[in-house]
Every structure is written in C-alpha cells, then in structure tokens.
Amino acid sequence: MQRYSLCALDELPEPGSKGFDMDLGEERVSLFVVRRDNEVHGYINSCPHTGVALEWVPDQFLDADGSFIECATHGALFTIEEGKCVSGPCAGDRLKPVRLSVDNDVIYWLVD
Ligand code: FES
C-alpha cells in the first residue's frame, strides 16, 4: 500500500473541504476531503450523475451550511459520512470513497 500526504488537518476548517489533484505515474486522480465533527471523509471528485467535478469554486464541496456535499452542476446533495445522494438527479447513487488516515495531524490518502 502507498500512502500519499494530502495536507495538515488544521488546513481544513470545521466543517470544511479541500480538493487535490494527484499524479500516480501516468494516472491523474482528482479527490477531495471533508472535515466535520472531528472526522475526515474522502471521495473521488466525480459526480455519479455525469462524472463532472463537484465543486463550484476551488475547495468548496459543501452546501451553504456545511451539512452536505453539493454538486455545483445540478445541485445534487450527498451525505458527508457515506457519500450517498439524498437529493437530485442521482438520488440513491454514491460518491466513490477513498481511504484516508490521519497521523500526527496530517491527512494521508491510502492506495492499494
Ligand atoms: S452533474 Fe452532479 S448533479 Fe448533475
């Protein structure tokens, strides 16, 4: 397993989100992390509706009150904890999760 450093935990507001474009050799992966209630969740940055990136401006993946992940294109809302779409054209679909770990206040992406 590979471990890639993403950012320090305190670079994320509570609640807050941050996006990353990672180069894995010839593959480029766009993902984001969300911090809320002292937990960190991560997903591939691709809406299950059309596959576009979710954010409306850089690092802004949450709705106005920080309760849900929101797709900027058609407004789908996803739970932060499970990435499940609860409102919008892809209701019932899920964001693809990524594995994270937090070690010494640094967030890492874990890749098999
Ligand atoms: S592309 Fe995300 S809701 Fe349509």
Side-chain angles (χ1 to χ4, degrees), residues 47 49-50 52 71 73-76 89-90:
C47 182
H49 183 213
T50 68
V52 299
C71 176
T73 303
H74 306 118
C90 46

Side-chain angles (χ1 to χ4, degrees), residues 75-89:
L77 297 175
F78 303 86
T79 63
I80 291 173
E81 294 77 13
E82 295 183 308
K84 183 175 180 185
C85 182
V86 293
S87 171

Side-chain angles (χ1 to χ4, degrees), residues 15-83:
S17 56
K18 194 170 178 60
F20 304 89
D21 288 316
M22 305 295 289
D23 275 317
L24 301 187
E26 66 269 12
E27 190 186 4
R28 191 170 175 82
V29 179
S30 179
L31 60 106
F32 66 98
V33 299
V34 177
R35 181 181 185 186
R36 192 178 71 173
D37 298 334
N38 260 329
E39 289 188 4
V40 182
H41 305 272
Y43 300 96
I44 296 294
N45 184 9
S46 175
C47 182
H49 183 213
T50 68
V52 299
L54 293 156
E55 74 270 47
W56 49 283
V57 296
D59 299 327
Q60 299 296 320
F61 291 86
L62 299 180
D63 65 349
D65 62 3
S67 297
F68 291 93
I69 297 162
E70 181 169 27
C71 176
T73 303
H74 306 118
L77 297 175
F78 303 86
T79 63
I80 291 173
E81 294 77 13
E82 295 183 308

